[in-house]
Amino acid sequence: MTQQPTLSPILPPSGADAATTVRMEAAGLAALAHALEDHTGLGGAFAQAMAILLALPGRVVVTGIGKSGHIARKIQATLASTGTPSLFVHPAEASHGDLGMIQPGDAILAFSNSGETTELADIAAHARASGLPLLAVTSRAGSTLAAAATVAMILPAMPEACPMGLAPTTSTLCQLAFGDALAVALLRQRGFTAADFSTFHPGGRLGARLRTVRELMRTGPAMPLATPQTHMRDVIMEMTHKALGCVGIVGQNGTLAGLITDGDLRRALDHDLTATLAKDVMNAMPLTIEPDILASEALRVMNARTRPITSLFVLGPDRHPLGVIHVHDLIKAGIE
């Protein structure tokens, strides 16, 4: 009989091993942050790249292959969603017709850890022939890509977290962080706002969080309103009919004079409601909100009170009621 080989038991991964990986990658990020503060090295190159990208009339063409390609795709998506027109071009496909996607006025942002990725040769040559800026992100200053670049951004060469030193781990994490730093710096320089962000993110939970109170508030006949002289029995009818748990009290000049909530109503039950007027019960200093505040901020305001409130009147700069927002409107819209 053939003797079966003895197999070594596979040891389960330990938390210590995982922590070592994270610490090695964290060390890479720390080295990257330190290098970005060096204005004669990576920090200076970063500033040069920023100047080119801010003045760019066209798009940022992001490229890379392998693991660097995956990072490049993510950075391109981040750039596009934060106000920097961009596209990803696969370097292999570029050699088979996709160079036509690159237009005058564009700049090329190429990721390659080694700087010797042969698939990038045609894009680099096209950039040189077309007079387009080539911005290289690599870890090797003497590499072919760095030599061909308009601006070479040399990331610190740190050990990979892989025990064999082969699988891209620390290097790709640093590429990702560097690309994010570039996108965020461009965002800040362009004054990109949450309102701009919402333009590019209309769907999903993120889109919901970026919606404004103006988009969700109830307006016109849907607003529960009364005057200071309205009898409480009619206030109750208005509150019941509009079903928002409150009634806004509007003065003769059309501004909000106060608010009556269902809580105020309960506290007034010991009065003769047939003879009580709205002005006798209303809160003359209600909490209100502006129309262009993010809906997520409106929900935060509602929940910040010791007793959470369910409705906010929305006022214009002249304190005229523009609408009312209810917590159910926010929840229905997916605001968290």
Side-chain angles (χ1 to χ4, degrees), residues 187-198:
L187 176 156
R188 287 175 172 159
Q189 288 295 311
R190 291 195 168 103
F192 197 77
T193 66
D196 298 321
F197 203 82
S198 66

Side-chain angles (χ1 to χ4, degrees), residues 110-118 120 124 134 136-149 151-155:
F111 286 82
S112 171
N113 184 45
S114 68
E116 299 296 343
T117 306
T118 56
L120 290 173
L134 173 61
V137 180
T138 178
S139 296
R140 297 188 182 177
S143 64
T144 302
L145 181 62
V151 178
M153 292 168 280
I154 311 302
L155 307 188

Side-chain angles (χ1 to χ4, degrees), residues 15-30 161-162 169-170 173:
D17 290 338
T20 297
T21 298
V22 172
R23 288 194 186 97
M24 290 185 69
E25 294 194 340
L29 290 177
C162 165
T169 46
T170 307
L173 180 63

